[in-house]
Amino acid sequence: MTATRAWAATRKGLFELRRSARGWGVARVSFLAEPVSMVLPPVGGSGRMLAALNLGHFGVKVHASDDAGATWREVDAPTYPPQPEGGKDAEGPAWKLVQIWSMEALHGAIWAGTLPGGLFKSTDGGEHWELVDSLWSRPERLGWFGGGYDVPGIHSILPHPTRPGELLLGISCGGVWGSREGSTQWELQAKGMRADFMPPEQADDENTQDPHLIALCDAVPTSVWCQHHNGIFRSTDGSRSWQEVKPPIANFGFAVAVHPREPDTAWFAPAVKDEKRVPVDGALFVHRTRDGGKSFEALRTGLPQQDCYDLVYRHGLVVDGTGRSLLMGSTTGNLWASDDAGDSWTEVAGHLPPIHALRFG
Amino acid sequence: MAHLVFTQQLKRFTEVPEVDTPAPTLREALQAAFAINPRLQGYVLDDQGHLRPNVVVFIDGQRSRDRRTLGDVLKPESRVHVLQALSGG
């Protein structure tokens, strides 16, 4: 069914978006003026929803709503355990929560991915959180470093649609990690990715890859797509191996959305790499492939084609369950919608705060 | 007893009790306030119990220096102000 509700987590609040006969519009604002780094829509459409705030002075907070954003109540935020004073465990970033970068819910669990590189799990609807120590204690963690922030972070959490306990994680910069043992055993799964930002002899090091975002096809979860710092990569074996695909105009960007039933169809929001990070020639477009990356279309209808400097961050491009409705939001506070799989776009809002994340639901 | 006051900016987020406490150090005085409102602790201290980078404490007009152990000594007549730094936007 076509989505009728969506959420925009922004630098200055959480915006509820509703679809009417006139198209998408803002229906409600929560946490006005507060930075909202991520939102978890109501689970199942009507259950608990969570919002992650990042208060500049007073830290990261989590709020829960059981009435789809009408009222909110603060719950526990993830907290790192006491940091050892010495030894190997004392190395690396301080064990202090910097930001909640991702949240997902499936199979009765809620997962939060954080800076500095923590995965937290809640089994009580987000009231309390527990650090997943099996990942945090991996020695490879000390090889991770920041991508976009001073410390590494988990921006992608992909629970397997049908197999509880199986997760894929995307980490900047820490590669792709998979769990197939109830999230107690972890395996680095970034084989085939390439890191040009590393010394040449380390470019293939799986543990320092920078996948900007990973996303999978719900109906065919072995099909995983990645917008990487170095380009676009695709896996057809559930992240066991990755192959690079090369779009014709630009391969840099942050966001990727995958069709829920067509594993060969994915959308990307390209930008000039790497130091500039603006649309190519000041003209915004969306790249779409429908053949697994063999070819790409540049979709421009309805998007600004002159003097445009919008950048779409990791969580700023989403597709609904039909595979035809998309939303795209930028750091310039612009929001566009498409109802024809990206062929054409309409502006929903032009003056929102910088958009951190969009979610249907 | 030492008197503890929190910035009213915090009232936007959680209750901020004014506390009179015989606590001999800043950390113990803060704990007295956190006992009244446990949620307040996460706004003032980070995961490791250190003062948040953008929170500042003044004791009798002097800025506290020990941001990790919060061992500053309080006198019975001390006045403690917990404020946010003027940063951010």
Side-chain angles (χ1 to χ4, degrees), chain A residues 219-297:
Chain A
V220 188
T222 51
S223 179
V224 193
W225 289 84
C226 173
Q227 174 64 65
H228 184 286
H229 193 87
N230 285 129
I232 295 172
F233 292 81
R234 201 250 174 125
S235 173
T236 57
D237 56 8
S239 186
R240 290 288 181 194
S241 64
W242 293 85
Q243 297 79 43
E244 185 170 6
V245 299
K246 297 188 175 178
I249 303 174
N251 67 354
F252 183 83
F254 291 94
V256 51
V258 179
H259 194 288
R261 293 180 309 281
E262 299 173 9
D264 288 341
T265 298
W267 296 263
F268 303 84
V272 179
K273 80 166 300 188
D274 159 14
E275 295 79 4
K276 292 187 176 177
R277 306 185 183 196
V278 294
V280 179
D281 298 326
L284 188 62
F285 70 97
V286 170
H287 255 151
R288 179 179 64 196
T289 179
R290 287 174 149 167
D291 55 11
K294 296 185 183 70
S295 66
F296 284 82
E297 303 162 88

Side-chain angles (χ1 to χ4, degrees), chain A residues 14 30-31 34-36 38-40 48-55 59-66 71-78 100 103 125-127 129, chain B residues 12-14 39 43:
Chain A
L14 175 65
S30 300
F31 312 111
E34 308 305 342
V36 182
M38 181 48 68
V39 58
L40 182 68
R48 167 69 55 93
M49 72 178 296
L50 297 176
L53 277 56
N54 199 354
L55 306 179
V60 173
K61 310 299 170 199
V62 179
H63 287 252
S65 175
D66 294 314
T71 59
W72 295 89
R73 176 176 60 84
E74 186 178 349
V75 293
D76 281 357
I100 294 175
M103 288 194 294
E127 298 283 341
W129 301 87
Chain B
R12 293 165 58 205
F13 307 111
T14 190
R39 193 67 77 188
Y43 286 82

Side-chain angles (χ1 to χ4, degrees), chain A residues 185-235:
Chain A
Q185 301 287 326
W186 295 91
E187 183 181 358
L188 191 50
Q189 297 183 194
K191 192 182 299 296
M193 291 183 175
R194 170 179 52 83
D196 285 348
F197 48 84
M198 294 294 285
E201 67 275 13
Q202 294 174 267
D204 298 326
D205 179 0
E206 294 182 58
N207 197 45
T208 51
Q209 298 297 318
D210 186 10
H212 283 174
L213 194 77
I214 57 173
L216 55 71
C217 175
D218 279 341
V220 188
T222 51
S223 179
V224 193
W225 289 84
C226 173
Q227 174 64 65
H228 184 286
H229 193 87
N230 285 129
I232 295 172
F233 292 81
R234 201 250 174 125
S235 173

Side-chain angles (χ1 to χ4, degrees), chain A:
Chain A
M1 190 193 309
T2 302
T4 58
R5 188 172 63 192
W7 308 88
T10 80
R11 174 71 177 78
K12 294 283 185 180
L14 175 65
F15 292 76
E16 178 184 340
L17 309 170
R18 286 278 186 173
R19 182 202 290 272
S20 70
R22 298 190 305 275
W24 289 99
V26 174
R28 194 202 316 263
V29 187
S30 300
F31 312 111
L32 181 62
E34 308 305 342
V36 182
S37 63
M38 181 48 68
V39 58
L40 182 68
V43 177
S46 60
R48 167 69 55 93
M49 72 178 296
L50 297 176
L53 277 56
N54 199 354
L55 306 179
H57 295 87
F58 303 117
V60 173
K61 310 299 170 199
V62 179
H63 287 252
S65 175
D66 294 314
D67 52 13
T71 59
W72 295 89
R73 176 176 60 84
E74 186 178 349
V75 293
D76 281 357
T79 305
Y80 287 85
Q83 185 167 10
E85 290 288 335
K88 195 76 173 171
D89 286 346
E91 299 177 15
W95 295 20
K96 299 182 178 184
L97 182 60
V98 174
Q99 179 170 306
I100 294 175
W101 214 1
S102 49
M103 288 194 294
E104 298 293 341
L106 200 63
H107 308 307
I110 299 178
W111 306 90
T114 66
L115 305 150
L119 177 69
F120 289 82
K121 181 180 183 180
S122 173
T123 55
D124 59 5
E127 298 283 341
H128 307 92
W129 301 87
E130 186 172 349
L131 178 67
V132 177
D133 188 64
S134 55
L135 181 68
W136 185 249
S137 61
R138 293 284 304 207
E140 294 93 334
R141 180 176 64 81
L142 295 177
W144 303 349
F145 52 86
Y149 292 92
D150 293 340
V151 294
I154 297 175
H155 48 66
S156 302
I157 303 172
L158 308 180
H160 192 284
T162 58
R163 294 202 286 266
E166 285 198 17
L167 288 178
L168 284 177
L169 305 177
I171 304 172
S172 291
C173 300
V176 177
W177 287 78
S179 168
R180 287 181 168 75
E181 302 293 337
S183 308
T184 59
Q185 301 287 326
W186 295 91
E187 183 181 358
L188 191 50
Q189 297 183 194
K191 192 182 299 296
M193 291 183 175
R194 170 179 52 83
D196 285 348
F197 48 84
M198 294 294 285
E201 67 275 13
Q202 294 174 267
D204 298 326
D205 179 0
E206 294 182 58
N207 197 45
T208 51
Q209 298 297 318
D210 186 10
H212 283 174
L213 194 77
I214 57 173
L216 55 71
C217 175
D218 279 341
V220 188
T222 51
S223 179
V224 193
W225 289 84
C226 173
Q227 174 64 65
H228 184 286
H229 193 87
N230 285 129
I232 295 172
F233 292 81
R234 201 250 174 125
S235 173
T236 57
D237 56 8
S239 186
R240 290 288 181 194
S241 64
W242 293 85
Q243 297 79 43
E244 185 170 6
V245 299
K246 297 188 175 178
I249 303 174
N251 67 354
F252 183 83
F254 291 94
V256 51
V258 179
H259 194 288
R261 293 180 309 281
E262 299 173 9
D264 288 341
T265 298
W267 296 263
F268 303 84
V272 179
K273 80 166 300 188
D274 159 14
E275 295 79 4
K276 292 187 176 177
R277 306 185 183 196
V278 294
V280 179
D281 298 326
L284 188 62
F285 70 97
V286 170
H287 255 151
R288 179 179 64 196
T289 179
R290 287 174 149 167
D291 55 11
K294 296 185 183 70
S295 66
F296 284 82
E297 303 162 88
L299 310 173
R300 299 179 182 273
T301 302
L303 298 174
Q305 295 301 295
Q306 184 178 331
D307 302 326
C308 175
Y309 301 100
D310 291 68
L311 183 64
V312 178
Y313 267 169
R314 286 168 172 79
H315 305 106
L317 175 65
V318 289
V319 62
D320 79 348
T322 70
R324 293 192 62 77
S325 289
L326 293 107
L327 288 170
M328 181 168 68
S330 77
T331 56
T332 313
N334 285 305
L335 177 64
W336 295 275
S338 172
D339 277 328
D340 52 14
D343 286 338
S344 64
W345 297 82
T346 56
E347 183 181 289
V348 175
H351 304 285
L352 292 177
I355 295 172
H356 295 151
L358 295 169
R359 306 290 296 262
F360 285 107

